[in-house]
Amino acid sequence: MLFISAFRNKAIRFKATRHNRKEQMTNVLLEPLLDRKMAAKLLNVSPGTLAVWDSTKRYNLQPLRAGNRVRYRRSVLEDFLNRQVQPAHERQAGNIL
C-alpha cells in the first residue's frame, strides 16, 4: 500500500510539472521574435555588429536559428539592455573607489 501511495504522489507531481512546462512553452511561443535588423535597432547597434557578437559569442543573446534565419527573443534583448545600463549613482560610486 505504501508503494502505491508513493507512486500516486509521484504521478501527481509529474502531471503538475508537465503542466508547468506546457505553460512555459506557450509563453515562449507567444513571445515576439525580432529579426536581426529589428534587434539591432532595439540595441542601437548595426546588424553587422550583432552578427559579429553572435559569431564570436561575445554576449549571450540566445539567437534562435532556423536555416539561414536568425531571430531574437525581445525579453532576452531587454534583459541584456538592463544588465548593461548602470544607474548614475553606481557609476559615481565606482569612480570614487
Side-chain angles (χ1 to χ4, degrees):
M1 187 68 176
L2 181 63
F3 175 75
I4 293 172
S5 177
F7 179 75
R8 191 175 310 152
N9 288 340
K10 190 173 184 179
I12 291 170
R13 275 184 273 144
F14 175 75
K15 188 175 182 180
T17 304
R18 201 170 104 202
H19 178 70
N20 290 343
R21 285 187 191 143
K22 186 176 180 181
E23 202 172 285
Q24 289 173 348
M25 287 300 294
T26 302
N27 291 341
V28 168
L29 293 175
L30 295 177
E31 183 177 4
L33 298 176
L34 305 176
D35 63 2
R36 184 168 278 152
K37 192 174 185 179
M38 293 182 343
K41 189 172 184 176
L42 177 71
L43 298 175
N44 201 23
V45 297
S46 72
T49 299
L50 201 51
V52 170
W53 288 356
D54 288 345
S55 66
T56 61
K57 310 277 191 265
R58 180 169 182 169
Y59 300 109
N60 186 18
L61 299 177
Q62 303 171 5
L64 305 170
R65 301 180 192 284
N68 64 348
R69 297 175 188 214
V70 179
R71 299 290 185 263
Y72 300 88
R73 290 188 183 106
R74 186 177 189 92
S75 63
V76 172
L77 297 176
E78 289 173 350
D79 289 343
F80 170 76
L81 284 174
N82 291 333
R83 285 191 313 265
Q84 298 301 314
V85 176
Q86 284 184 329
H89 68 276
E90 287 182 16
R91 280 189 298 233
Q92 291 171 352
N95 290 340
I96 293 171
L97 300 176

